[in-house]
Amino acid sequence: MTKSTLQIARAAYEPKVPAALKGAVKAVDGAKTQSVADQSEIEKLFPNTYGMPVITFESASEKVETPAINAGVILSGGQAPGGHNVIVGLFDGLKAINKDSRLYGFLMGPGGLVDHNYMELTADIIDEYRNTGGFDMIGSGRTKLEETAQYDKGLEILKQLDIKALVIIGGDDSNTNACVLAEYYKANGSGVQVIGCPKTIDGDLKNEQIETSFGFDTACKVYSEVIGNIQRDCNSARKYWHFIKLMGRSASHIALECALQTQPNVCIISEEVEAKEQSLDDIIIQIATVVAKRAEQGNNFGTVLIPEGLIEFIPAMKRLIAELNDYLAHHEAEFKNIDKTEQRAYIISKLSKENADLYASLPEGVARQLTLDRDPHGNVQVSLIETEKLLAEMVSNRLAEWKAEGKYKGKFASLVHFFGYEGRCAAPSNYDADYCYSLGYTASCLIAAGKTGYMSSIRNTTAPASEWIAGGIPVTMMMNMEKRHGEMKPVIQKALVKLDGAPFKTFAANRDNWAFNTEYVYPGPIQYFGPTEVCDQTTKTLALEQAK
Ligand code: FBP
């Protein structure tokens, strides 16, 4: 395989790790824990893994002889920069425990465990993937592990390969399933430990103990570089408004972080739209007002950042989507049998009056996108909904009306973009390379300490890596009960943008200035070599959140 010069140089990068992980470690137990909400229900559902203490790893004076460990690893869900380094760190950690330890990768996501598709990850394979982006070492998939038949099928291959522990690298849903699996394997006495790792570019798997999910840092830096380039382009040509949708599923963390990095003219935050109960029309007026005011200064150009999940946060749309989700969860087969040309009318006939009226008012494309297949976790695939086009079109129509009324005199030409897949497999930034390697290495320590139902955790990551704190958080601690597929389920609470948090407040304090004055920042590409203040900076979100 031909490699770029950067890839070759980057392979030699040695990830920075917490000082405690540099030699022998000992696990120190904290106090007993509780779930964030619905304590009695969660405890009942997880009798064997509820209430466990938070673990911290500290340096130990001498290494305890540990027998070789066979472990398995799974990449679950969407790609996120740094996934390979989690596996590499896990491998190095297992080998440091005992050089005869072995690591098996299950192929193409959780389905690989159930279907017994795997490969042994030997040192030569691992070395090929150090500090690389992508999940192609073993592939990823979105199969949901939720049936006992799947757990039992998985157990067959785990026993056959003498695997003591399974590491599942995934987002909130995959880590929830990892915990269900941990509970099942503990309850049935099979002894297989299950450890999770917090992955997702969306940044929505975080809480008091998990500072950030890996991949968020790199993905935001990639998008911010390109947004910066677009801003410089539009500030040069001065003739386009760019509507840029950013991935991130429900949460607006990516849009907010990119706004903090690039200072666009408008950035919509879904969580604020919901809190203020804004309608689609309110959002159109908000954007069109900025366009019109800038036009008065002769500035017929600008940038608008739109979070991928916006549509679901407009309260009326949310009610519509919830009813659609429930209805389609129970009538999927019936709906699929209906001729495509009849589907819109069919849906309208099945919805309550309020939702049917709203659904009928949507442009054909958006209406169709709302009924497309849900992902395996029952979520609308928001990345398929072209909100950027919807907003650009509606703003254009509104400006045309204002022009006719004599309220607006500018020129409006829009271009639309969607940035998501471009960033998910980027070579991890130093932050993600270090963080991921440390997460993987810590997972090996949790395995050696006999833990199950834990998520690997690295804290204090705005400090230099040597001061980072490695440990494990019981997954049940992050859980609450939520409605999924029409049923109440225990799930890890999704972290949305907090309107009273420092990142949003910083944005809110500056957005009027960014809207009407051209205050663009051009972050440039991720730097892998050079001064630490250029190469090792965290996201602005993390820096603001941790600056307590
Ligand atoms: P995860 O939640 O699995 O990390 O995936 C994140 C994500 O990139 C979302 O931002 C996006 O909505 C979704 O995946 C796209 O899914 P797919 O890769 O299946 O198209």
Side-chain angles (χ1 to χ4, degrees), residues 77-78 142 199-202 247-249 308 382-383 421 424:
R142 291 199 184 275
K199 171 236 68 165
T200 180
I201 60 161
D202 300 349
M247 242 188 197
R249 215 188 275 285
E308 180 177 64
V382 280
S383 61
Y421 298 98
R424 298 200 311 180

